[in-house]
Amino acid sequence: MIGIIDYGMGNLFSVSKALERLDVPYMMGDRPEKIEGCDGYILPGVGAFPDAMKALDEHGFIPFIKEKAASGVPIYGICLGMQLLFEASEEGGETEGLGLFPGKIVKFPGVDDQGRNYKVPHMGWNKLDIHQPNQPLMTDVGNDYVYFVHSFVVQTEDESILYATADYHMEVPAIIGRDHVVASQFHPEKSGKPGMQLLENFCKVMVKQ
């Protein structure tokens, strides 16, 4: 059973429909006690980092997520849900994150190394560059195109957590992970076959149901 963390800022409909297409049982809950005991969890996210952290706190999910991560329960963060797993974000001022991965969330500069302006947010299909193909999450996932929508990007010096990156005027961490905690900056449920493969790998390979 997969638990979808509902803190009021997630794309719950598209995630739940994707799990239904994969024939994966799930439940949603807006409080930890409503989804306690699931085999794995998905942390979706759409919106601003400070608002999301506030909502997670108000719903009681901050200690819940940290406890599950510490005890080895698989977790998959999506889009903003991925960014929340890091130490902090500069969005709306310095805001502390969940701290499960080292690094900070920063805004795309909007200017490349040659001084040329580029569009922010990063929106549309972009090709993955796979760094760690042997990770369980990456089974049968190649250098495919997936769908991004984000104005802020992960900045980390820990290359060991980079499963895949994309290029958008800079190297963009696209899929990250360590052991049982993984995440993608793009929306797998909106990314066609490779996105659905990632969700299936998480639910049916990483999660022991």
Side-chain angles (χ1 to χ4, degrees):
M1 179 69 70
I2 299 296
I4 301 177
I5 297 172
D6 175 12
Y7 58 106
M9 295 186 64
N11 205 351
L12 303 181
F13 179 79
S14 61
V15 172
S16 62
K17 288 301 178 183
L19 295 184
E20 288 173 11
R21 291 198 298 274
L22 292 171
D23 196 27
V24 171
Y26 69 90
M27 62 172 63
M28 297 185 196
D30 60 1
R31 300 294 300 181
E33 57 269 22
K34 293 183 178 180
I35 50 174
E36 181 61 69
C38 289
D39 303 293
Y41 294 91
I42 292 177
L43 175 63
V46 176
F49 190 104
D51 295 337
M53 285 302 298
K54 181 180 179 182
L56 284 176
D57 184 38
E58 291 174 345
H59 286 259
F61 279 121
I62 291 179
F64 178 81
I65 294 170
K66 290 182 177 181
E67 177 190 340
K68 295 302 178 185
S71 60
V73 178
I75 297 172
Y76 188 159
I78 295 175
C79 196
L80 177 60
M82 166 173 153
Q83 297 181 1
L84 296 171
L85 300 176
F86 285 81
E87 293 170 312
S89 173
E90 68 175 23
E91 184 176 4
E94 189 83 7
T95 303
E96 184 178 348
L98 292 168
L100 302 185
F101 292 101
K104 184 177 181 180
I105 312 305
V106 300
K107 189 168 186 178
F108 277 109
V111 181
D112 66 17
D113 293 339
Q114 305 301 316
R116 296 170 297 197
N117 294 328
Y118 61 86
K119 183 180 178 182
V120 178
H122 172 204
M123 181 182 298
W125 296 83
N126 208 329
K127 190 176 183 180
L128 294 174
D129 178 14
I130 306 299
H131 292 227
Q132 300 189 46
N134 296 324
Q135 293 290 344
L137 182 70
M138 306 304 294
T139 303
D140 296 325
V141 177
N143 297 319
D144 301 298
Y145 284 86
V146 292
Y147 188 72
F148 292 84
V149 182
H150 61 123
S151 298
F152 288 78
V153 61
V154 169
Q155 185 180 75
T156 181
E157 296 182 359
D158 188 352
E159 295 188 358
S160 72
I161 68 173
L162 299 180
Y163 287 6
T165 57
D167 179 51
Y168 188 67
H169 306 282
M170 60 183 290
E171 185 178 70
V172 176
I175 306 173
I176 59 99
R178 180 182 290 129
D179 300 326
H180 53 281
V181 181
V182 296
S184 57
Q185 178 62 71
F186 57 89
H187 289 268
E189 77 281 10
K190 297 181 179 180
S191 294
K193 185 177 179 180
M196 292 298 289
Q197 185 67 60
L198 280 169
L199 284 174
E200 183 173 10
N201 290 346
F202 175 74
C203 296
K204 297 183 178 181
V205 177
M206 290 188 64
V207 176
K208 310 302 181 184
Q209 301 187 66

